[in-house]
Amino acid sequence: MNKVIIPLKRLIPGLIIGPASWLGPYIVMNSLFLPALIQHFDAPHKVELVALFSTCGMIVAALSNMIAGALSDKTHSRFGKRAPWLMGGAFVFMLAMIAASFSPNIPILLTAWMVGQAALNFIVAPMVAWIDFAPEDGRATASSAYGGLGMALGNNGFNVVGALFLSQFRLGFIIFGIFTFIGVSIATLIVHEPSNLAEQSVTTQPAHQKLTLKDAAAIFPRWSVGRDYYLALIAKLFQGVGNFAITGYILYIMTDFLHRGNQTQSAIQLINLIMLIFGVFMGFVAGPLSDKFKILKLPVGFSTLFLAFGALMLFFFRDNLGIITYAFAAGIGMGLWNSLDNLLNLEVIPDQNRVAFFLGIYNLGNTITQAIAPVIAAGVIALFGYAGIFIISFIFSLIGGILILQIKSVKR
């Protein structure tokens, strides 16, 4: 069976529009609209409730991501492996966010949010596997388009607009939910994955043979086989917590720690604008330079130094200097990481027949760390106040970089 190759002229626009369309609205709703609505329902317990939503979301995201990746890898349709799940996930996510906007209380909001979390991962797992459709000499460029450009727009570009809806957060859920469906649809049409109806399924055992415990354990290879993949995955979790410990509480950091008052909206917009500019810049240069000089592991590993530095700047300088310096450093670090980390993971996948499954698990770092980080941050806030968040971010970011540098199969 010949591997599906999609030209970069179709793949790159899809890899920019696609992740921006699901990640951007999710980031806005998770970091701004959801905390605002939770605060509206129960202000005295807002920190604990954010942690509750994050914990539940983490469980739902982990399960749905594995299921989505596995189903996508085994799908045969005239629209290819990925497109049916992308469109279905985007549609359900839109409906869930509309339901969240009309929630009258915390239990109904939690239910709608969990449905949205499940649907979101039916977008994430199949879409990141688009990178594997890239020609061999353009894989870093494709990865950079997805992570450096698409995710930079998602992580920061939408928050600039999202901050405008802080006083109309219920309307924001509806608008950004609809945007996800439209954006994912456009990206899917541009990529235009070919039919795989003629593709033969790879079977490793007769249909009548019972699944043994050994077979079940093989879903995740043992450490000696998947060592580098597991190192990349664990590093992603540490780096993600380091980043989202700050961004997940950015609204409360601005109001309760930095006391920005009526400047909160403008400060959030400034941070996200600076991070967007540097993220997009890295998206344009990191991938092509990686393809040209055949360097991958080192820039991914060292990108975490910028995140760690940015966290310290907010800790020591609790004013405009700290805010701007953090935005510059985090923008460079996240831009470099997002541009190349998916390709690094693709290089260390232990089973090339399950690309969407393993890339999907890896990309839980973009959703599951946003669930883990608020839980950790809530505990840190309770013990040490908001200042402790920045120390946690510093430590976790550095650990993530060190783990990346321990990967052996990718030399540099």
Side-chain angles (χ1 to χ4, degrees):
M1 179 185 68
N2 294 326
K3 183 176 182 292
V4 173
I5 300 295
I6 294 178
L8 289 180
K9 66 181 180 181
R10 290 207 328 257
L11 196 58
I12 286 178
L15 287 170
I16 296 172
I17 297 170
S21 297
W22 68 257
L23 181 60
Y26 172 71
I27 290 285
V28 170
M29 289 184 276
N30 187 63
S31 63
L32 297 179
F33 301 159
L34 183 64
L37 189 51
I38 288 173
Q39 182 171 261
H40 171 72
F41 285 137
D42 191 352
H45 302 100
K46 62 184 181 182
V47 173
E48 295 85 351
L49 284 170
V50 167
L52 171 65
F53 273 68
S54 297
T55 302
C56 295
M58 174 178 61
I59 297 170
V60 171
L63 293 175
S64 59
N65 194 286
M66 288 187 285
I67 294 170
L71 290 175
S72 174
D73 283 330
K74 295 179 180 180
T75 294
H76 296 78
S77 81
R78 58 175 293 197
F79 305 107
K81 291 183 175 183
R82 319 302 180 193
W85 300 106
L86 291 169
M87 295 300 297
F91 183 70
V92 174
F93 180 76
M94 175 182 67
L95 294 181
M97 294 306 98
I98 293 174
S101 72
F102 288 101
S103 299
N105 52 48
I106 289 292
I108 293 178
L109 176 62
L110 179 61
T111 301
W113 189 252
M114 291 308 103
V115 172
Q117 287 284 299
L120 185 74
N121 283 280
F122 274 83
I123 305 173
V124 176
M127 185 177 287
V128 71
W130 277 350
I131 297 172
D132 196 42
F133 292 148
E136 189 63 34
D137 60 353
R139 285 158 71 88
T141 300
S143 175
S144 189
Y146 181 94
L149 294 174
M151 293 186 68
L153 289 170
N155 273 313
N156 307 116
F158 283 74
N159 268 337
V160 175
V161 179
L164 300 175
F165 288 88
L166 269 177
S167 61
Q168 303 179 70
F169 45 80
R170 287 188 184 270
L171 176 62
F173 275 108
I174 297 174
I175 290 175
F176 284 90
I178 293 173
F179 187 95
T180 293
F181 178 69
I182 294 175
V184 170
S185 300
I186 292 172
T188 304
L189 290 171
I190 291 173
V191 171
H192 191 58
E193 185 182 349
S195 169
N196 70 331
L197 285 173
E199 181 181 306
Q200 296 296 315
S201 298
V202 178
T203 57
T204 58
Q205 60 184 23
H208 65 271
Q209 183 174 331
K210 292 183 178 180
L211 184 69
T212 66
L213 289 175
K214 183 177 180 181
D215 294 326
I219 294 174
F220 290 99
R222 61 185 181 276
W223 178 264
S224 61
V225 174
R227 173 189 179 275
D228 286 351
Y229 173 80
Y230 293 132
L231 283 174
L233 177 60
I234 297 169
K236 176 80 166 182
L237 294 176
F238 273 95
Q239 182 269 358
V241 170
N243 177 49
F244 291 122
I246 294 177
T247 60
Y249 276 98
I250 193 66
L251 178 62
Y252 300 160
I253 287 172
M254 288 297 166
T255 57
D256 299 357
F257 178 68
L258 298 178
H259 305 293
R260 304 305 292 179
N262 57 12
Q263 295 181 344
T264 293
Q265 177 176 308
S266 60
I268 292 175
Q269 288 177 309
L270 177 63
I271 288 175
N272 284 286
L273 181 60
I274 293 173
M275 291 183 68
L276 171 63
I277 292 170
F278 278 92
V280 169
F281 174 74
M282 286 295 168
F284 276 113
V285 303
L289 289 177
S290 176
D291 277 330
K292 181 177 181 179
F293 295 106
K294 308 301 180 187
I295 186 170
L296 181 59
K297 179 176 71 174
L298 295 180
V300 174
F302 286 118
S303 69
T304 62
L305 292 177
F306 291 97
L307 293 175
F309 174 74
L312 286 185
M313 290 301 98
L314 268 181
F315 177 79
F316 287 114
F317 300 100
R318 304 174 186 185
D319 51 19
N320 286 335
L321 175 62
I323 291 172
I324 294 173
T325 307
Y326 163 75
F328 272 97
I332 294 172
M334 286 303 300
L336 193 55
W337 175 282
N338 286 335
S339 294
L340 299 174
D341 77 305
N342 281 305
L343 178 60
L344 178 63
N345 185 249
L346 191 59
E347 295 294 327
V348 298
I349 282 177
D351 184 353
Q352 292 298 322
N353 290 319
R354 294 189 289 156
V355 170
F357 176 79
F358 284 109
L359 280 180
I361 294 297
Y362 180 74
N363 268 269
L364 276 174
N366 296 318
T367 51
I368 202 169
T369 52
Q370 292 187 62
I372 297 172
V375 176
I376 295 174
V380 171
I381 292 170
L383 292 173
F384 306 106
Y386 281 95
I389 290 179
F390 308 110
I391 302 302
I392 288 295
S393 177
F394 173 80
I395 294 172
F396 274 58
S397 297
L398 287 185
I399 292 175
I402 291 170
L403 290 172
I404 288 292
L405 297 177
Q406 302 307 306
I407 291 174
K408 294 181 179 179
S409 58
V410 179
K411 299 303 180 183
R412 65 190 186 105

